[in-house]
């Protein structure tokens, strides 16, 4: 994938969309699923960036120091915020580039499925930003 990313100066941001719904109840169910059956958990992005009890330190450090703007949404939040204006059919989880309220896939679900550790995601994000 040869997606270009210009960064903050061109009003672009990365939008991370988790394959999970928002809310306390869903968070508890997701945490239990991660403990009981991590291999069948539906959100690879959640598994990479969050452990059972919170955000992974290496990911949090990267996110806080990143030079680009990032937005993090659950799939129900993304659909509520953007589907009313536009019809988007993405496979979740996904990382998108948002520019002028248009979206382009930055890292696909399939690519996320191939990652195991936050370091791999960080490396891929950094590589794509520099293209």
């Amino acid at each position: 994938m040869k997606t270009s990313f210009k960064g903050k100066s061109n009003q672009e941001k990365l939008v991370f969309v988790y394959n999970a719904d928002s809310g306390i109840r869903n968070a508890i169910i997701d945490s239990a699923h991660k403990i009981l059956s991590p291999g069948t958990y539906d959100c690879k992005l959640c598994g990479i960036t969050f452990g059972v009890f919170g955000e992974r330190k290496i990911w949090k450090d990267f996110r806080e120091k990143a030079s680009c703007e990032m937005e993090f949404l659950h799939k129900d939040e993304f659909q509520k915020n953007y589907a009313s204006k536009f019809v988007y059919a993405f496979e979740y989880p996904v990382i998108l580039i948002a520019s002028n309220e248009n979206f382009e896939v930055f890292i696909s679900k399939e690519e996320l499925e191939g990652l195991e550790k936050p370091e791999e995601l960080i490396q891929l994000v950094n590589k794509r930003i520099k293209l």
Side-chain angles (χ1 to χ4, degrees):
M1 176 176 289
K2 297 204 179 350
T3 304
S4 64
F5 183 83
K6 297 173 189 74
K8 289 182 179 181
S9 62
N10 291 317
Q11 302 300 315
E12 290 183 337
K13 66 180 172 181
L14 294 180
V15 179
F16 294 71
V17 185
Y18 295 102
N19 189 27
D21 288 328
S22 60
I24 299 287
R25 180 178 177 272
N26 290 316
I28 292 168
I29 291 169
D30 288 344
S31 291
H33 194 160
K34 285 180 190 177
I35 293 169
L36 299 173
S37 187
T40 62
Y41 188 63
D42 287 338
C43 186
K44 190 68 171 208
L45 182 57
C46 296
I48 292 171
T49 59
F50 282 83
V52 175
F53 300 109
E55 189 172 18
R56 296 183 190 279
K57 182 178 179 353
I58 189 168
W59 175 253
K60 183 177 180 180
D61 291 345
F62 167 75
R63 180 181 54 74
E64 289 176 346
K65 295 174 185 170
S67 61
C68 63
E69 183 180 349
M70 297 180 184
E71 180 178 14
F72 297 86
L73 299 169
H74 294 90
K75 67 181 176 182
D76 64 320
E77 295 167 325
F78 177 77
Q79 292 166 346
K80 179 182 175 188
N81 291 346
Y82 297 107
S84 62
K85 299 176 195 169
F86 309 98
V87 177
Y88 290 108
F90 297 111
E91 287 189 77
Y92 305 111
V94 67
I95 303 172
L96 305 166
I97 296 175
S99 177
N100 299 322
E101 298 205 32
N102 288 312
F103 295 95
E104 182 180 340
V105 174
F106 185 70
I107 299 176
S108 70
K109 175 184 179 176
E110 292 77 23
E111 291 173 301
L112 288 168
E113 292 296 324
L115 303 176
E116 295 298 325
K117 299 186 247 178
E119 295 88 347
E120 294 171 324
L121 178 57
I122 292 166
Q123 182 179 17
L124 184 56
V125 169
N126 282 333
K127 179 181 174 187
R128 297 264 168 93
I129 286 174
K130 293 176 183 171
L131 286 179

